[in-house]
Amino acid sequence: MSDDPGDTRTGLRDRLTDGLYGLGWSAVRKLPEPVARALFRTIADQVWKRRGKSVLRLESNLARVVPGASPARLAELSKAGMRSYMRYWMESFRLPTWSPARIKASIAVTDAHRLTDGLDAGRGVILALPHLGNWDLAGAWVTTDLKVPFTTVAERLKPETLYDRFVAYREGLGMEVLPHSGGAAFGTLARRLRAGGLVCLVADRDLSASGVEVTFFGDTARMPAGPALLAQQTGALLLPVTLSYDETPVMKARIHPPVVMPESGDRTEKTSSMTQALADAFAVGIADHPEDWHMLQRLWLADLDTREDRT
């Protein structure tokens, strides 16, 4: 055991974090649904009122998405954004108990044929999503309604026990989950695609600091190269997907037209062009429903260059 007070505090914080998530998955699913919805809306409003770092970062990001918005409008959007974010968590804690019929009834998908046609043709398919709506619910729809298994990648969280909880949760929904770190994920994803399988990736924020620079809402951001590289190496179909909520219990999903691989250029140029096309599709969905974009971290390079701490 370490004698360092900092290590002790970190260990306590990690155990508390893991315990709170464990409580969420065990307790929230047992609440009557109206009670759970009201509870998580109250939590969202209380977090928003505290004006902490995450809320301020969300407003800063939304200011780029909605240029010219007044402070009052940004505050309104960030409040709706925190409610949307807490709706994601409320649904995620309850999702393991939902029946296939309930999952199907909770999502309406526009242009699903783009996904099913690609799979029926025996071609691997990559679904790339931003942090919009509830991507876990979208994944559960794929595995339960379409009855198609898929592979995804998860960021390694701290503590390790929390990462294990998320892996178990997503595997329980029928997903194959690979760790983001370690270097082996790309090869496994490529094998799944070459076999005609499905890969789903959340792809609006680069975690490796080695991604592709794109123009996003008028400024430069960095997004992961993985989706475009996988499509090039395997011939898989690359489909952007955007999600959104409204006042109903049904989440809306849109599968956008496939990203076209350029006929000319080297791999770097093709990857840049395809990643920009993904960013453009993401921007359409985010601009339509900015309150459902759960981006509580810094994203644009100008913000990354000026920050004092890594958030």
Side-chain angles (χ1 to χ4, degrees):
M1 180 178 296
S2 172
D3 293 327
D4 186 340
D7 290 345
T8 301
R9 286 194 296 271
T10 299
L12 288 172
R13 184 171 61 248
D14 286 350
R15 289 195 293 274
L16 177 61
T17 300
D18 180 58
L20 288 173
Y21 279 99
L23 180 64
W25 268 300
S26 62
V28 174
R29 68 179 65 181
K30 298 176 183 177
L31 294 173
E33 186 150 330
V35 174
R37 288 189 180 278
L39 172 62
F40 275 75
R41 176 166 284 210
T42 299
I43 292 171
D45 290 349
Q46 291 301 314
V47 171
W48 178 79
K49 285 179 182 178
R50 287 203 295 269
R51 311 290 294 161
K53 183 185 294 185
S54 294
V55 173
L56 295 177
R57 174 47 48 194
L58 177 61
E59 282 189 13
S60 178
N61 290 338
L62 289 171
R64 293 180 183 270
V65 175
V66 189
S70 66
R73 174 58 176 155
L74 288 175
E76 179 183 86
L77 280 173
S78 68
K79 184 175 185 178
M82 292 310 298
R83 287 181 172 184
S84 175
Y85 186 48
M86 285 299 131
R87 176 173 170 175
Y88 162 80
W89 281 112
M90 187 276 294
E91 290 178 345
S92 294
F93 286 142
R94 299 173 67 85
L95 195 52
T97 66
W98 287 7
S99 68
R102 171 66 191 277
I103 291 170
K104 180 179 182 179
S106 297
I107 183 170
V109 183
T110 299
D111 292 326
H113 68 90
R114 289 177 172 142
L115 168 59
T116 55
D117 288 351
L119 292 171
D120 289 345
R123 186 177 181 184
V125 177
I126 305 162
L127 297 181
L129 308 87
H131 286 81
L132 269 173
N134 188 338
W135 44 96
D136 287 328
L137 173 56
W141 170 78
V142 169
T143 59
T144 58
D145 190 43
L146 298 186
K147 295 181 172 53
V148 175
F150 68 87
T151 305
T152 189
V153 175
E155 179 184 2
R156 278 203 174 276
L157 302 171
K158 296 293 185 180
E160 190 74 15
T161 50
L162 180 58
Y163 171 77
D164 292 340
R165 285 188 190 275
F166 271 94
V167 170
Y169 157 64
R170 289 181 172 132
E171 288 180 341
L173 298 175
M175 311 175 193
E176 178 188 23
V177 183
L178 307 176
H180 181 270
S181 59
F186 189 91
T188 301
L189 295 173
R191 287 193 294 274
R192 300 292 184 269
L193 292 168
R194 290 191 182 101
L198 176 64
V199 165
C200 299
L201 301 170
V202 179
D204 58 342
R205 180 170 178 255
D206 179 55
L207 295 173
S208 67
S210 61
V212 178
E213 291 189 6
V214 296
T215 300
F216 195 54
F217 290 102
D219 208 345
T220 304
R222 188 182 292 120
M223 294 188 180
L229 287 172
L230 284 166
Q232 290 177 65
Q233 291 197 14
T234 67
L237 196 65
L238 176 55
L239 297 173
V241 179
T242 55
L243 310 170
S244 63
Y245 290 130
D246 55 23
E247 294 304 314
T248 75
V250 181
M251 184 178 72
K252 308 306 186 288
R254 177 186 174 191
I255 301 179
H256 294 252
V259 171
V260 177
M261 185 186 306
E263 294 182 359
S264 61
D266 60 20
R267 186 176 71 169
T268 299
E269 291 168 336
K270 290 180 179 180
T271 300
S272 178
S273 175
M274 295 172 73
T275 306
Q276 182 64 61
L278 273 183
D280 293 343
F282 293 167
V284 170
I286 293 167
D288 286 344
H289 300 277
E291 69 279 4
D292 291 324
W293 190 38
H294 307 150
M295 185 54 66
L296 279 66
Q297 300 85 18
R298 298 175 190 262
L299 178 69
W300 282 271
L301 298 193
D303 296 335
L304 294 169
D305 290 343
T306 59
R307 65 185 176 176
E308 295 178 359
D309 58 341
R310 297 273 167 176
T311 57

